[in-house]
């Protein structure tokens, strides 16, 4: 067996000079709603993206539950989209949403197995009118969630997402539109794509969070 010393050195150097792991999200200030979000573009088919944005209040003590605002912009061919706040499908609040005419339906779900998730009362949503709209190419919703950042995780653990640091979340996409789009209890078909990423909640922080929620309601 022969070693390529040059390649080995180059690989070692690459590891040594790589920056510390950084979040996959970027900060984004939404001119329409005024929220500062941590944003991630999730590729659901080659060259097409669903944009996920999360905004949080500032001055949250570690371990305390807090509200969050979620904004998702999806091309009109997206049947439903889901955000898993715990980074996995199971034992994690699932924010599932789809286009409903000129608006969107948000459905709160939770699963303890890789099966169709049940409705979940532990997280509740208020659609914010200003950031929720549809045009010929995209639908977008913006919603305040109470209960997305604290939940019962695997093994009955109490999980609270880090309000100032990195959290792993995941998405799911289905090309199939729900059968009853006006109902948050509609049946959904299984996803076609899932993936996870790291969100820096530190860059999602908003000093005037409550005021922005009111202004966009
Ligand atoms: C009819 C509804 C659903 C069914 C039958 C289902 C089933 C499954 C199955 C069998 C897997 C493991 C194999 C695979 O990756 O395909 C999986 C993974 C996954 N599902 Fe679902 N799912 C459903 C809805 C959802 C929803 C609403 C979300 C919301 C975000 C979601 C998020 C995920 C994620 C992130 C994974 C990969 C990571 C993990 O294993 O947790 N699923 N699902």
């Amino acid at each position: 067996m022969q070693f390529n010393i040059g390649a080995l050195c180059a690989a070692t150097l690459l590891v040594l000079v790589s920056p510390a792991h950084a979040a996959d999200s970027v900060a984004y200030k939404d001119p329409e709603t005024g929220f500062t979000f941590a944003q991630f573009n999730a590729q659901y088919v080659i060259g097409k993206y669903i944009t996920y944005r999360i905004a949080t209040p500032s001055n949250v003590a570690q371990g305390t539950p807090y509200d969050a605002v979620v904004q998702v912009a999806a091309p009109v061919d997206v049947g439903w989209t889901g955000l898993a706040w715990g980074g996995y499908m199971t034992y994690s609040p699932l924010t599932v949403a789809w286009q409903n005419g000129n608006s969107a339906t948000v459905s709160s779900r939770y699963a303890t197995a890789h099966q169709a998730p049940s409705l979940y009362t532990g997280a509740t949503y208020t659609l914010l009118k200003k950031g929720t709209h549809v045009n010929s190419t995209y639908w977008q919703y913006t919603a305040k969630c109470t209960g997305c950042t604290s939940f019962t995780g695997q093994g009955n653990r109490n999980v609270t997402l880090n309000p100032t640091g990195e959290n792993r979340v995941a998405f799911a996409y289905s090309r199939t539109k729900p059968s009853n789009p006006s109902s948050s209890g509609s049946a959904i078909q299984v996803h076609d794509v899932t993936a996870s990423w790291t969100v820096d909640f530190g860059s999602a922080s908003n000093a005037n969070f409550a005021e922005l929620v009111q202004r966009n309601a």
Side-chain angles (χ1 to χ4, degrees), residues 11-194:
T12 311
L13 197 66
L14 203 66
V15 170
L16 291 177
V17 299
S18 293
H21 175 73
D24 302 314
S25 62
V26 296
Y28 169 77
K29 169 105 193 235
D30 179 26
E32 184 188 15
T33 60
F35 283 104
T36 296
F37 290 100
Q39 166 179 305
F40 180 76
N41 291 321
Q43 185 161 237
Y44 68 98
V45 294
I46 291 170
K48 295 188 80 177
Y49 299 85
I50 301 170
T51 301
Y52 288 86
R53 302 187 178 116
I54 292 173
T56 56
S58 57
N59 296 324
V60 176
Q62 294 282 346
T64 321
Y66 53 97
D67 290 351
V69 165
V70 52
Q71 182 176 77
V72 176
V76 286
D77 64 4
V78 170
W80 65 256
T81 157
L83 177 64
W85 292 80
Y88 296 98
M89 175 175 167
T90 51
Y91 299 95
S92 156
L94 303 174
T95 308
V96 186
W98 52 83
Q99 182 186 346
N100 177 31
N102 282 326
S103 186
T105 298
V106 179
S107 177
S108 186
R109 312 258 174 147
Y110 189 90
T112 53
H114 283 133
Q115 294 164 357
S118 309
L119 285 171
Y120 176 56
T121 53
T124 53
Y125 297 89
T126 311
L127 261 190
L128 301 183
K129 287 201 194 79
K130 202 156 172 217
T132 302
H133 34 72
V134 176
N135 66 23
S136 60
T137 53
Y138 270 81
W139 58 278
Q140 175 179 298
Y141 77 88
T142 307
K144 182 188 78 166
C145 177
T146 302
C148 285
T149 62
S150 286
F151 50 91
T152 305
Q154 189 103 43
N156 234 7
R157 275 182 315 127
N158 286 326
V159 177
T160 299
L161 301 186
N162 183 346
T164 56
E166 292 182 5
N167 298 291
R168 194 90 188 155
V169 300
F171 90 101
Y173 146 80
S174 172
R175 67 171 77 98
T176 310
K177 294 183 191 297
S179 46
N180 189 4
S182 63
S183 165
S184 59
S186 179
I188 54 169
Q189 295 295 312
V190 65
H191 32 75
D192 299 298
V193 176
T194 67

Side-chain angles (χ1 to χ4, degrees), residues 193-207:
V193 176
T194 67
S196 66
W197 70 98
T198 306
V199 183
D200 176 15
F201 275 39
S203 69
S205 149
N206 290 261

